[in-house]
Amino acid sequence: MSKVKITETIFRDAHQSLIATRMKTEEMLPIAEKLDRVGFHALEVWGGATFDACLRFLNEDPWERLRKIRKVIKNTKLQMLLRGQNLLGYKHYPDDVVEEFVKKSIYNGIDIIRIFDALNDVRNLVTAVNATKKAGGHAQTAISFTISPVHDIDYYVKKAKEMEEIGADSICIKDMSGILLPYAAEELIKKIKEEVDLPIELHSHFTSGIANLTYLKAIEAGVDIIDTAISPFALGTSQPATEPMVASLKDTPYDTGLDLNLLNEIAEYFRPIRDKYLKEGLLNPKVLGVNAKTLIYQVPGGMLSNLVSQLEQQGSLDKFEKVLEEVPKVREDLGYPPLVTPMSQMVGTQAVFNVILGERYKMVPSEIKNYVKGLYGRPTIPISDEIKKKIIGDTEVYEGRPADLLQPQLEQLKNEIKEYIEQEEDVLTYALFPQIAIKFFQYRQTSKYKIDNTLLDIEEKTYPI
């Protein structure tokens, strides 16, 4: 038994889950020094959808956000989420882009990179793991947790061992849908700890209302680290709340040693920010409740809202239940992929098409075709010949590592945007989101951007609060 460590998600997954990743850097910096004093194992501050949202919605440079946070947070490790060979985008990138992105992430302030693959195809993690270690970072690989007839304890133990073999420094069980049940978590953690000699972290969401219980059983089973969110941005589709978890473990063998009073001061800072987003409509009260449907359909909270949005656009919201019933059928057809980005969006869209058109696989998005062709990686189990025929006809399926088909790209990308480059990182921004990046680079050349950043730099001198 030992003290449980906590990774705080307030600067990344908490607001990604509740307010579509819209928290601004100027809202983060005034409280950053206090967060640094708490003694968290790590602060998750970057990656996931934050990169895209900074550029697309906030007119912020994500690299500059990271540098500003690192400048204030001097003692706590900074963590990011990376989608393996997909980086922070939705397709595979060549190895040279992956290696450079990881190197620049660590150079700009990241200590721990959590690396996952939507298919749990370990081949898609190797380049990012090697690059992280080469740059002096901590490579944490993540298992995307899901439930299906083929995802049993042995499957997950095997994945953990594969991750240890490729050089992972720690392993995270990433329960993106909040469907890992308490006693299943206890058994899973115990078995992995027996087979793998690495720290184990558990990441879950409160979507189905069980994550607190799951965390407690995982702690009793020996999990080393858990992910939580400061209470104003906790629960619902976010993580369990930090303060109640710290209080629950106080004066036990698992005591985190964190100061509840300091955590409360931090929560008081975020409460009005939460209220502002609630008033503006970005924080939808629906995402704060318990949705037990996730336990039946295993659909993550973000995917639920995405399905509603797609059906509203089609004027077919009355077909929501039918689409929910179709999702597990599509997933089975496609070899039981975990429902995590980008597979959750792909499976959801296919389910919508199947229901609205009244014929299964009458229309198939190009992403699904590429997945069936093997261009995302290996499905959990082989896709049947019947489904393959429906989706890709007689096209041959590629069995190798998808990125082996990609040519180096960095030099070409540099040439394409040489007129806009102000920092080396701009090439990587462009590699991930070309159209959005160009718009941002053009905006960055305007006086408004320069004034906004000057004001932010002036405000920074007043920290900490």
Side-chain angles (χ1 to χ4, degrees), residues 127-314:
T127 301
V129 166
N130 290 342
T132 301
K133 293 169 81 75
K134 186 179 177 184
H138 175 110
Q140 179 182 86
T141 54
I143 301 170
S144 298
F145 180 83
T146 189
I147 296 169
S148 82
V150 292
H151 287 90
D152 54 16
I153 297 284
D154 290 341
Y155 168 87
Y156 290 116
V157 171
K158 179 172 174 277
K159 286 295 164 190
K161 287 165 89 169
E162 286 176 18
M163 289 172 175
E164 185 178 39
E165 283 164 14
I166 65 164
D169 295 309
S170 62
I171 293 173
C172 172
I173 297 159
K174 181 177 165 59
D175 176 27
M176 57 280 173
S177 306
I179 56 174
L180 176 57
L181 297 169
Y183 289 97
E186 181 181 38
E187 185 185 0
L188 179 60
I189 299 291
K190 278 182 178 172
K191 288 278 172 64
I192 291 178
K193 295 286 273 186
E194 283 169 14
E195 298 287 337
V196 173
D197 188 24
L198 291 174
I200 306 297
E201 185 156 357
L202 179 56
H203 172 93
S204 190
H205 290 249
F206 204 75
T207 319
S208 67
I210 60 170
N212 276 354
L213 301 170
T214 298
Y215 275 12
L216 280 174
K217 293 307 290 182
I219 288 164
E220 289 173 357
V223 83
D224 300 281
I225 313 153
I226 55 172
D227 289 7
T228 63
I230 286 288
S231 56
F233 282 89
L235 308 181
T237 51
S238 178
Q239 279 70 58
T242 305
E243 306 96 304
M245 193 57 65
V246 167
S248 300
L249 299 174
K250 192 169 167 51
D251 299 326
T252 74
Y254 315 106
D255 194 328
T256 63
L258 303 187
D259 182 349
L260 267 173
N261 290 320
L262 182 54
L263 291 171
N264 185 55
E265 287 174 31
I266 293 165
E268 289 301 318
Y269 171 82
F270 282 108
R271 202 156 278 122
I273 294 174
R274 169 202 148 109
D275 291 345
K276 180 193 79 166
Y277 285 110
L278 191 60
K279 193 176 176 183
E280 289 174 359
L282 257 177
L283 176 55
N284 187 328
K286 284 181 183 174
V287 303
L288 297 172
V290 167
N291 194 330
K293 278 182 185 166
T294 56
L295 296 171
I296 300 166
Y297 300 115
Q298 296 162 38
V299 176
M303 186 177 170
L304 280 172
S305 56
N306 199 32
L307 290 176
V308 169
S309 172
Q310 285 187 49
L311 289 168
E312 278 178 342
Q313 286 169 20
Q314 302 289 331

